[in-house]
Amino acid sequence: MPIDNLMLLALIIGLVSAVSLPLGALTTLIWTPQDRAIAWLMAFGAGALLSAVTIDLFAPSLSNGLFLETATGAFLGSAFYLSLNTLLNQQGGFLRKTATTIQYLRGKQTEQRMQFQASLNRLPFFNRLPDDDKELFLQQAVRRRVKQGEMVFHHSDAQNRFFIIQQGTIKLRDPSLELKTFMELNAGDTFGRMAFFTNRNNATLAQAATDAVLWEINKDQLNRLLKSRPALRESLCRYYDEDTELRHYLQTRHQMTEAESRAHLAELRSTLQSQQTLPLHPPPPKDLARSQRCLQKARRFSVLANLPEEIQGLVASRMTEHTLPAGQAIFKNKSPAERLYLLEAGEVELVDPKKKRQDFERLKPGDFFGVMAFVVGGEHATTAITRTDCRFWVIEKDTFIQLLNQIDLLNARVRDFLRTDDLSQYLTQEQQLKQLQAQKWVNHSIKHLLPGQLPTLAEAFPSARHTMPKAAYFAIWLGILLDGIPESMMIGAHLSQGEMISMSLIAGLFLSNYPEALSSSASMRDQGIAFHRVLAAWTLLMLLTGLGAALGQVLLTGTAPAVAALISGIAAGAMLTVIAETMLPEAYSKGGSIIGMVTLLGFIAAMSFKLFD
């Protein structure tokens, strides 16, 4: 047959064998397959592909005396596929298939376990522990996700937990320096442990500089391990006795003398020895009558002003007391407003970067502050600094929302507050909204505000719909292409030697491609990839398979049989690796033991096409 005709034949065969790829993607429009159906189809396709590789490639190589070349190529193809597959998975390509997703996540879990243990080893009281005890800590730890800008903890809060960073960056801010960042921590670093082990309030504020994932260990979890692990108790006692970092922390951050810091740590050590636990750090005792009197005199927030006595008592019971010395920042401008503050004693100055110093607002006892940003879900426009020693009360946003759920009067007052001129002025001057935009936000918020909710600027002006990053989508597409390259190589190598492609080989490739595309398309759509992008990926792969087969036929024509056998072996090795790594594991995990029989059916079905050769 002329070369042009062989090239055209290779193109057609490549397209026919791969047309089941877009067919599989199109099927997801009318049918969402259950796991068992995907498993059966995947196993059937794997059996068909096994038949094509073994009967139509390895068997001829044995009869032609080219076993060594084919076997060498198979090893090279497998190694090459695994290397590229690992690289693409790290960029997000693992999302193309359920099996590669599971495999990637299992690898990540192992990596995270090693990272967690390495982080514990950096702590002086954990590095002597056996790995089994460190594994217990990992089991006890709670994974917590925080968004960029979110506060992990505030200064002056009771601290009964510490954190290890799994990924992301955390900024530590110093309240004595107007909450400026003095340290940035990254994966593997710990924070919050000084206040945790000294049983003192936080001396710094921790904020997520990026989206981050943290391991959180609280005192209840640690105490359970202390009771059952004498080695851990002994190590911690030595830490209290010998290490100087805790004394330094107490002296610099909590203004203790050398003698006071030693006595404080000795008391903690004594408790640990006698009770086999660390004491929980309780919040300061609440004086309900005092908090209620402070609320009665409160100004600057009409929602909580002049409340009926019963409601006033309920709100007062949810307030927590805090103290800070002079010169400390309570919150910083451009930080999320997650708390509402009520000053009881002392003086606070609101530092506005847009005003001159003489125009800064000074707050007196009875003033609420941080109000506007708290209500609209925005960021603080000022920095609040204590000019004298201060005592104030805090209402967390979650607590306030709980109160809104319980008290209808507060919901009505929030709506009234949204209509005030002060709030409109705040939106235009501090949040930089145009007058029309501010009014639109107010109208939208009042109209759509449900009981037990606070409005947010983000809800009124939503950001663009989340889409998968281009880099991750491209990695997924490259992964799909990687899975398809061996097919075109096999077809091109066969035709370059003047051999006709058997019906069983074409059938095996066609039957294996359909369930692979069906399963992967469903998985990709679950990851949020639009259908048209899924279909485009598989259609483009079909075209490239045809073009690759034609190109392979042209390039390999006239080569020695040993070279063609090596190329075919590379393709076969990569395809067998795909079967073993992705198709059969996914099928078995979803379908169970029957998968072996279904795989055999696929093998026999593809082999039966030999009857038509």
Side-chain angles (χ1 to χ4, degrees):
M1 186 179 289
I3 291 179
D4 289 346
N5 290 344
L6 283 176
M7 184 179 67
L8 180 60
L9 180 61
L11 173 65
I12 293 172
I13 292 175
L15 292 174
V16 169
S17 68
V19 73
S20 54
L21 294 172
L23 286 177
L26 286 167
T27 302
T28 61
L29 280 178
I30 58 175
W31 178 45
T32 302
Q34 299 299 314
D35 282 352
R36 181 171 291 274
I38 288 178
W40 283 42
L41 288 170
M42 189 70 71
F44 189 89
L49 191 56
L50 279 170
S51 173
V53 172
T54 54
I55 295 176
D56 291 285
L57 195 146
F58 282 110
S61 71
L62 287 173
S63 61
N64 295 330
L66 299 172
F67 170 76
L68 182 60
E69 292 83 352
T70 305
T72 301
F75 280 113
L76 292 174
S78 178
F80 185 69
Y81 173 86
L82 289 173
S83 300
L84 283 181
N85 191 49
T86 300
L87 181 63
L88 290 173
N89 285 347
Q90 292 173 351
Q91 305 302 318
F94 66 92
L95 293 171
R96 70 190 187 273
K97 295 180 181 178
T98 301
T100 52
T101 300
I102 293 172
Q103 182 186 42
Y104 179 82
L105 293 179
R106 283 176 178 169
K108 275 295 182 183
Q109 288 174 350
T110 301
E111 180 183 326
Q112 291 164 10
R113 184 180 297 107
M114 295 174 64
Q115 179 189 0
F116 184 84
Q117 291 195 2
S119 299
L120 288 181
N121 287 336
R122 293 163 64 179
L123 302 179
F125 45 89
F126 284 126
N127 55 14
R128 307 182 191 95
L129 295 177
D131 288 343
D132 288 347
D133 285 0
K134 294 170 188 172
E135 182 68 24
L136 282 175
F137 263 93
L138 178 58
Q139 294 172 9
Q140 295 286 331
V142 176
R143 289 177 79 247
R144 173 179 168 187
R145 295 184 180 275
V146 291
K147 295 181 179 180
Q148 182 178 7
E150 183 178 340
M151 303 299 178
V152 182
F153 57 69
H154 291 260
H155 52 298
S156 81
D157 285 356
Q159 182 72 325
N160 284 312
R161 55 194 177 160
F162 73 94
F163 303 88
I164 298 175
I165 304 173
Q166 178 185 322
Q167 64 184 52
T169 302
I170 299 295
K171 294 188 290 190
L172 296 184
R173 297 183 178 274
D174 191 338
S176 64
L177 300 174
E178 297 188 4
L179 289 175
K180 291 180 180 178
T181 300
F182 70 93
M183 187 179 296
E184 287 199 354
L185 304 174
N186 298 298
D189 292 331
T190 63
F191 64 100
R193 64 186 177 90
M194 290 297 173
F196 180 93
F197 286 105
T198 59
N199 217 38
R200 305 293 291 182
N201 287 348
N202 288 319
T204 58
L205 179 146
Q207 183 181 21
T210 65
D211 290 351
V213 181
L214 312 174
W215 284 296
E216 176 184 314
I217 300 174
N218 64 47
K219 260 186 193 166
D220 286 333
Q221 295 163 340
L222 177 61
N223 282 338
R224 284 196 292 270
L225 293 175
L226 285 170
K227 282 183 173 292
S228 61
R229 291 290 186 274
L232 179 58
R233 293 199 303 272
E234 180 184 345
S235 181
L236 192 51
C237 283
R238 271 185 283 173
Y239 179 55
Y240 282 131
D241 283 340
E242 301 169 2
D243 206 278
T244 60
E245 66 174 0
L246 293 181
R247 295 200 301 275
H248 178 75
Y249 170 77
L250 290 171
Q251 292 163 28
T252 56
R253 290 294 183 180
H254 293 279
Q255 290 74 52
M256 288 187 179
T257 64
E258 174 73 20
E260 288 172 338
S261 64
R262 287 183 178 275
H264 181 78
L265 296 177
E267 182 180 352
L268 291 174
R269 186 186 188 282
S270 176
T271 301
L272 176 59
Q273 286 183 314
S274 61
Q275 300 181 15
Q276 299 184 351
T277 59
L278 289 176
L280 293 176
H281 184 31
K286 183 174 293 184
D287 187 337
L288 185 58
R290 186 159 52 83
S291 64
Q292 192 163 353
R293 285 197 302 272
C294 188
L295 190 58
Q296 286 173 348
K297 302 175 183 178
R299 303 178 295 272
R300 292 168 47 94
F301 189 32
S302 59
V303 173
L304 297 181
N306 303 314
L307 292 170
E309 186 173 350
E310 182 180 352
I311 296 177
Q312 195 176 78
L314 180 59
V315 174
S317 69
R318 304 293 182 88
M319 295 161 46
T320 57
E321 183 181 357
H322 295 253
T323 59
L324 280 178
Q328 300 267 307
I330 300 174
F331 58 73
K332 184 177 177 62
N333 72 308
K334 296 185 178 179
S335 63
E338 300 172 344
R339 294 177 161 190
L340 183 64
Y341 301 88
L342 174 57
L343 184 61
E344 182 181 11
E347 188 174 275
V348 171
E349 184 175 62
L350 298 182
V351 177
D352 191 333
K354 298 186 294 296
K355 294 181 180 179
K356 296 181 179 179
R357 183 174 182 84
Q358 61 266 27
D359 296 327
F360 293 166
E361 187 174 6
R362 293 276 181 128
L363 303 177
K364 302 295 184 183
D367 285 342
F368 272 108
F369 58 105
V371 171
M372 294 295 183
F374 180 84
V375 171
V376 303
E379 296 179 340
H380 291 295
T382 60
T383 298
I385 299 178
T386 59
R387 291 308 177 196
T388 64
D389 292 350
C390 288
R391 184 169 64 248
F392 54 92
W393 298 90
V394 166
I395 301 177
E396 301 281 353
K397 179 160 284 190
D398 288 344
T399 300
F400 191 77
I401 289 174
Q402 290 172 7
L403 291 169
L404 290 177
N405 275 315
Q406 295 176 265
I407 305 169
D408 291 337
L409 176 62
L410 294 185
N411 283 289
R413 287 192 173 191
V414 167
R415 280 187 167 80
D416 292 339
F417 185 80
L418 293 174
R419 296 186 178 96
T420 61
D421 292 338
D422 287 343
L423 187 127
S424 294
Q425 186 177 3
Y426 170 81
L427 291 174
T428 54
Q429 294 184 1
E430 305 296 350
Q431 295 293 336
Q432 283 78 51
L433 299 185
K434 295 180 180 179
Q435 186 67 42
L436 184 61
Q437 195 178 23
Q439 190 58 50
K440 180 181 177 182
W441 182 87
V442 170
N443 293 338
H444 177 277
S445 298
I446 294 173
K447 180 179 179 180
H448 296 283
L449 190 65
L450 297 175
Q453 288 187 353
L454 282 175
T456 69
L457 292 172
E459 286 181 1
F461 303 102
S463 59
R465 183 179 179 269
H466 172 73
T467 56
M468 176 167 287
K470 290 183 178 179
Y473 175 75
F474 185 62
I476 291 172
W477 186 84
L478 285 177
I480 292 171
L481 177 62
L482 177 62
D483 295 341
I485 288 174
E487 295 182 19
S488 56
M489 290 177 60
M490 181 182 291
I491 295 169
H494 259 64
L495 289 175
S496 69
Q497 300 301 303
E499 300 176 9
M500 287 303 298
I501 300 293
S502 68
M503 289 292 293
S504 60
L505 178 58
I506 299 173
L509 296 175
F510 182 93
L511 292 173
S512 66
N513 281 333
Y514 178 77
E516 183 180 8
L518 178 65
S519 173
S520 296
S521 297
S523 179
M524 291 165 69
R525 294 186 69 184
D526 286 343
Q527 301 300 327
I529 302 178
F531 173 76
H532 71 274
R533 301 181 76 184
V534 175
L535 181 61
W538 292 113
T539 303
L540 185 55
L541 178 56
M542 177 191 71
L543 296 175
L544 289 177
T545 300
L547 292 173
L551 183 62
Q553 189 278 325
V554 172
L555 294 178
L556 295 176
T557 295
T559 59
V563 175
L566 182 70
I567 299 298
S568 294
I570 291 174
M575 293 169 75
L576 285 174
T577 304
V578 171
I579 295 170
E581 186 186 50
T582 64
M583 297 180 74
L584 288 178
E586 179 178 348
Y588 186 82
S589 68
K590 293 179 176 179
S593 58
I594 190 65
I595 290 308
M597 180 65 72
V598 179
T599 303
L600 177 60
L601 290 175
F603 187 94
I604 294 173
M607 187 172 63
S608 67
F609 279 85
K610 281 289 184 184
L611 299 174
F612 301 100
D613 288 342

